[in-house]
Amino acid sequence: MRFRHPDGSTVHLAYCTNVHPAETLDGVLAQLRDHCEPVRRRLGRDRLGIGLWLAKDAAHALVSDPSALRGLRTELDRRGLEVVTLNGFPYEGFGAEEVKYRVYKPDWADPERLDHTTSLARVLAGLLPDDVTQGSVSTLPLAWRTAYDDDRAETARAALRTLAERLDALQELTGRDIRVGLEPEPGCTVETTADAIAPLTAIGHDRIGVCVDTCHLATSFEDPHTALDALTEARVPLVKSQLSAALHAEHPHLPDVREALAAFDEPRFLHQTRASPTLTSVPAGGATIAAGLRGTDDLGEALHSGALPDASPWRAHFHVPLHAAPAAPLTSTLPVLKAALTRLVGGPHPLTAHLEVETYTWQALPAELRPRGRSQLADGIAAELTLARDLLTDLGLKELP
């Protein structure tokens, strides 16, 4: 979906296909048929943007076979779909029964991460619509924190500098400006937008920046205006933003709230949980994640270990549907998303032109909230995109055909 900003520029809205992951190119083609085109039809659109997730094997097939890449581009056009952004965070296995910590491997100190991201950039250069010259790829925010030391940090920085050189060469070769954004995430070396500023200013390249995920932003209790203003002041490129909402519990000490939270403690994904940093005293044994912020690596740990203070709100890294907040006594951080979007595209000029709805946890929701079959999933994704569209038009953007 495309929108005209009041300044005359185009803002793109897509949804991320990691919600129905596939590891192979054949699986990606099936996604377009079984999921993406039905969502487009529900929205009554002639054209729908999708943020493709391409696993290692699918990306390799496309970058090593020009005819396969042309075939994918043809299939996108045939089904009324377009791609300006890729999700390059998960490397493989995102559809496994247990993902958890595996999603952070390989990290930016491993050569496979550089090779994979380079492949994604080359693929995206071949998939961009004819009238679009800039594409974006979101990626792992360097590494999971426990796997990172000074040597690996320097290796990661060197890899990103090499990537920048390759993106420059790609632009010279194809005329396509592909940018890569580190996606701050709780528990990673770059947990917050503030954490991203130092490594990215050290690299100092306009094709390497940040992807702001509004669920992650909220989970870490970052104020969106403060965070985005700091990125702007530091001249860190805002490559893209993923529109998502976290799980919020206002009173986690209450038994009914803990029972409701427990329903979201599931075995597939990691649901990093943070307590509001307003509390000044914390129980012994709680892990310090960032200045003033306490957290655990997963929701079950927060509920059962006593590691978090429970006299102030908790937020969990669980991407809940944008249009359907959990039932009381829980809610979502949709207000944080709205505040971020106001700053992202509500000003005189957009801070980024690429927005992507990313609720990949539909099938990880409590059983009574999960979609039953493809049709209900398509209905839910279409409803999320409708909400995002309405937020954009309320900010003065005009939906384009």
Side-chain angles (χ1 to χ4, degrees):
M1 300 168 76
R2 299 188 185 193
F3 297 81
R4 182 74 67 210
H5 189 274
D7 74 349
S9 64
T10 300
V11 173
H12 296 267
L13 174 66
Y15 90 90
C16 187
T17 63
N18 62 357
V19 63
H20 19 250
E23 299 289 320
T24 66
L25 179 55
D26 285 344
V28 171
L29 294 171
Q31 285 178 350
L32 306 184
R33 178 193 68 227
D34 296 339
H35 299 287
C36 303
E37 186 176 8
V39 170
R40 178 184 65 77
R41 293 186 181 281
R42 279 164 171 75
L43 292 166
R45 302 278 309 176
D46 293 332
R47 173 174 55 188
L48 176 66
I50 57 171
L52 276 180
W53 172 60
L54 298 173
K56 173 195 67 172
D57 290 344
H60 178 73
L62 290 166
V63 81
S64 61
D65 183 354
S67 66
L69 183 57
R70 289 193 297 270
L72 175 57
R73 172 68 186 274
T74 298
E75 190 70 0
L76 289 165
D77 291 341
R78 187 169 78 88
R79 298 194 181 278
L81 306 168
E82 66 178 14
V83 175
V84 304
T85 189
L86 300 180
N87 185 333
F89 196 132
Y91 180 71
E92 62 183 344
F94 202 59
E97 290 185 6
E98 182 178 330
V99 178
K100 297 291 184 181
Y101 293 96
R102 291 172 52 191
V103 76
Y104 306 107
K105 291 291 186 178
D107 65 34
W108 272 100
D110 298 319
E112 295 88 353
R113 177 61 65 172
L114 172 60
D115 292 343
H116 178 58
T117 309
T118 301
S119 294
L120 292 177
R122 291 171 177 165
V123 167
L124 183 55
L127 293 180
L128 288 179
D130 292 340
D131 61 345
V132 175
T133 59
Q134 190 173 100
S136 61
V137 181
S138 49
T139 188
L140 178 80
L142 298 181
W144 184 255
R145 69 184 188 280
T146 56
Y148 213 56
D149 56 26
D150 289 345
D151 289 341
R152 292 184 69 81
E154 180 51 41
T155 302
R157 286 191 293 266
L160 286 170
R161 292 187 187 101
T162 299
L163 176 66
E165 294 170 357
R166 292 178 180 179
L167 296 178
D168 287 344
L170 185 63
Q171 196 278 333
E172 291 181 10
L173 180 66
T174 67
R176 302 299 176 89
D177 177 14
I178 307 301
R179 303 186 175 204
V180 173
L182 304 184
E183 182 185 331
E185 174 164 318
C188 291
T189 300
V190 175
E191 164 148 346
T192 67
T193 55
D195 296 334
I197 291 175
L200 289 174
T201 52
I203 293 167
H205 197 287
D206 63 3
R207 290 195 171 95
I208 308 292
V210 166
C211 166
V212 173
D213 184 304
T214 59
C215 170
H216 304 171
L217 188 84
T219 301
S220 294
F221 286 91
E222 288 195 83
D223 174 73
H225 290 279
T226 302
L228 295 172
D229 286 350
L231 291 174
T232 301
E233 184 176 349
R235 298 190 177 183
V236 172
L238 215 165
V239 170
K240 66 185 276 190
S241 181
Q242 289 171 325
L243 307 183
S244 54
L247 191 63
H248 181 93
E250 186 67 19
H251 302 292
H253 66 286
L254 297 177
D256 63 328
V257 175
R258 298 179 83 88
E259 182 180 355
L261 282 170
F264 287 84
D265 179 26
E266 55 83 37
R268 185 172 174 186
F269 298 111
L270 207 60
H271 301 297
Q272 303 92 315
T273 303
R274 301 290 181 261
S276 171
T278 57
L279 197 68
T280 56
S281 61
V282 295
T288 299
I289 306 299
L293 193 65
R294 310 289 296 192
T296 59
D297 285 356
D298 215 344
L299 179 56
E301 182 185 353
L303 289 170
H304 304 303
S305 70
L308 286 187
D310 61 5
S312 61
W314 288 4
R315 289 176 179 172
H317 173 218
F318 195 119
H319 291 221
V320 295
L322 301 187
H323 68 292
L330 304 179
T331 187
S332 81
T333 61
L334 184 62
V336 177
L337 184 159
K338 292 179 178 178
L341 198 59
T342 298
R343 183 69 182 87
L344 286 166
V345 299
H349 304 287
L351 301 184
T352 182
H354 293 173
L355 305 173
E356 178 184 62
V357 171
E358 196 215 12
T359 306
Y360 60 83
T361 42
W362 277 96
Q363 299 302 341
L365 289 166
E368 67 275 12
L369 302 178
R370 293 175 199 164
R372 293 176 176 83
R374 293 176 185 168
S375 181
Q376 285 192 6
L377 177 59
D379 289 342
I381 294 169
E384 288 194 291
L385 285 166
T386 297
L387 182 147
R389 178 195 65 195
D390 292 346
L391 292 177
L392 290 174
T393 55
D394 287 347
L395 290 170
L397 283 72
K398 180 181 178 182
E399 187 177 6
L400 299 175

